[in-house]
Amino acid sequence: MKDSKKFKILMCSRPGGDRGPGLTFGHHVKALNEDNLNRFQVDEAWKLTKGSDLSAYGVFWYYAKTFNPQAFYFLKERFPDKKFVFGPNILLDKPDIGAADAWDEWFLSNVDFDLYIDQVEFYNNHVKKFIRNELVDKADYLDKCVTFDMSEEYINNRNETKDCLVYSKKRRYDYTFDKFRDELVSLLEEEGITYTELTYGKYKREEYFEALLSCRCCINLSLDECPGIATYESMFMNTPIIGSPHNTPSIFNQDFWVHDTDYMTDKYLVRTDDAAEKYIKKIKQFLSNEIPMEESPRDYILRHAGYQRYADDAYDLMVKYCS
């Protein structure tokens, strides 16, 4: 496009580690810099050389809650007319509480932004409860992009020996998880549905992939994900995933959602008492081949989590909020 605007962006903060947010940050930078339409130049502040011209950047983007407020004030005071973007790893460490520490309080009370983003819509709507009224219309969402390092041959070498992989992840604020999990497992056993269970934080990445290839579907028990690397990995391995709109917000086929298993309160999500029964009903529908799949999980995630989709969506946000 001849008239496409080009955005020169300086990333000013990043998450640590090479999994989760750390992994997606790397894909974020790479996706924008590899945009087919060349609409972005993204640099990282910690890689600049001494004497770099900061005024050349039109957008200062703080990706994660790892920066000193004084660093923000330095740029804001020096370049008041530049655009400032925050997210998606800024708010909230404790979604059921809101501002959970002095840093959160500072950000919510003092930072004026041009764009604040989360990765999924429902979480962005929740965060808006805590953002100052004059800034609510500047909050939006941008789903992540990610690639994985498994070969097509490895993924196609399936050996399905179980019906379900039960993916157990208990959130700090999920007070009914144990009851839900125990009821679901009991119902699986009553129905003669075979399963393997993996618990978040207690398995190696390779074990998860092997389990996905040995099961017909994956059952996500987490109360919420935004949207969750493990759910993307399941679809990348071409294993259908069954979950709620809040724990699998980005899904290859919405017929695999289990509806009305939780609801949003003034604080945050709460699970319903009959969630296990609703999950079992959906699992049985899938195992009985009653849910048609027009697109495979793998085809969907290759398209949806691809770099160009991400760059296109990011460009739309930049034009809307940072032009």
Side-chain angles (χ1 to χ4, degrees):
M1 297 180 185
K2 294 181 180 180
D3 57 349
S4 290
K5 180 177 177 63
K6 182 160 185 174
F7 293 92
K8 189 170 183 178
I9 300 169
L10 183 66
M11 301 306 303
C12 299
S13 70
R14 62 178 175 179
D18 59 1
R19 286 286 289 162
L23 176 69
T24 53
F25 173 78
H27 289 302
H28 156 79
V29 173
K30 193 173 182 182
L32 297 189
N33 279 332
E34 293 183 3
D35 171 37
N36 291 339
L37 298 177
N38 195 32
R39 295 168 294 186
F40 301 95
Q41 178 188 326
V42 181
D43 297 325
E44 299 170 60
W46 43 94
K47 294 182 179 179
L48 295 182
T49 58
K50 186 176 180 180
S52 296
D53 182 11
L54 297 181
S55 68
Y57 295 95
V59 177
F60 296 106
W61 190 326
Y62 293 83
Y63 192 94
K65 178 185 172 179
T66 55
F67 63 91
N68 188 307
Q70 294 306 316
F72 162 71
Y73 285 133
F74 170 80
L75 289 176
K76 188 68 173 175
E77 291 170 5
R78 189 173 177 185
F79 305 110
D81 297 328
K82 303 293 186 179
K83 303 299 181 180
F84 287 79
V85 177
F86 296 87
N89 297 124
I90 298 290
L91 300 171
L92 300 156
D93 291 338
K94 297 181 179 179
D96 56 322
I97 295 174
D101 55 30
W103 195 96
D104 287 351
E105 292 283 4
W106 164 77
F107 184 89
L108 290 168
S109 300
N110 296 284
V111 173
D112 293 327
F113 50 77
D114 296 285
L115 172 61
Y116 167 85
I117 62 170
D118 290 301
Q119 291 179 334
V120 295
E121 184 176 15
F122 88 83
Y123 196 78
N124 188 250
N125 288 336
H126 175 66
V127 171
K128 286 178 180 178
K129 300 174 186 175
F130 306 95
I131 292 175
R132 304 198 307 275
N133 288 337
E134 65 270 24
L135 296 174
V136 167
D137 290 341
K138 297 180 179 181
D140 216 314
Y141 61 97
L142 174 63
D143 201 349
K144 69 178 67 176
C145 63
V146 66
T147 61
F148 302 105
D149 55 0
M150 288 80 73
S151 69
E152 190 89 25
E153 181 181 5
Y154 173 66
I155 294 169
N156 289 335
N157 189 27
R158 303 185 68 88
N159 182 25
E160 296 176 352
T161 60
K162 298 289 180 66
D163 293 319
C164 306
L165 167 59
V166 176
Y167 183 74
S168 294
K169 183 175 182 179
K170 182 179 180 179
R171 296 289 193 181
R172 173 189 56 80
Y173 40 81
D174 187 358
Y175 303 110
T176 62
F177 176 85
D178 292 328
K179 174 178 177 291
F180 166 62
R181 180 263 170 203
D182 292 347
E183 287 180 355
L184 181 65
V185 167
S186 294
L187 289 169
L188 288 172
E189 293 175 350
E190 287 178 16
E191 296 288 343
I193 299 172
T194 58
Y195 67 93
T196 296
E197 182 174 14
L198 290 180
T199 301
Y200 175 77
K202 296 183 179 179
Y203 62 85
K204 295 180 180 179
R205 189 168 179 242
E206 295 75 15
E207 293 177 311
Y208 180 57
F209 297 150
E210 290 297 325
L212 288 169
L213 292 176
S214 68
C215 296
R216 291 182 61 188
C217 65
C218 179
I219 314 303
N220 188 2
L221 303 194
S222 178
L223 183 61
D224 68 328
E225 295 292 339
C226 298
I229 288 291
T231 62
Y232 277 31
E233 288 173 332
S234 176
M235 289 183 279
F236 188 84
M237 301 295 285
N238 213 27
T239 303
I241 187 161
I242 293 174
S244 76
H246 291 132
N247 71 22
T248 316
S250 299
I251 195 167
F252 73 104
N253 183 336
Q254 294 185 8
D255 290 336
F256 282 74
W257 273 342
V258 189
H259 291 282
D260 302 322
T261 59
D262 54 57
Y263 58 94
M264 186 68 75
T265 69
D266 289 340
K267 289 189 174 182
Y268 198 49
L269 291 171
V270 175
R271 199 188 305 279
T272 61
D273 292 335
D274 61 350
E277 288 86 353
K278 290 176 178 175
Y279 265 76
I280 286 293
K281 182 178 179 181
K282 182 65 68 173
I283 293 168
K284 290 172 66 177
Q285 287 179 338
F286 167 72
L287 294 176
S288 299
N289 298 314
E290 297 176 15
I291 307 178
M293 290 192 291
E294 295 183 0
E295 182 178 31
S296 74
R298 180 170 169 77
D299 286 345
Y300 165 80
I301 210 63
L302 287 173
R303 171 175 54 81
H304 178 75
Y307 282 3
Q308 197 54 47
R309 189 280 307 166
Y310 186 85
D312 290 341
D313 288 354
Y315 181 77
D316 290 342
L317 290 174
M318 291 293 104
V319 169
K320 182 176 180 179
Y321 297 100
C322 296
S323 292

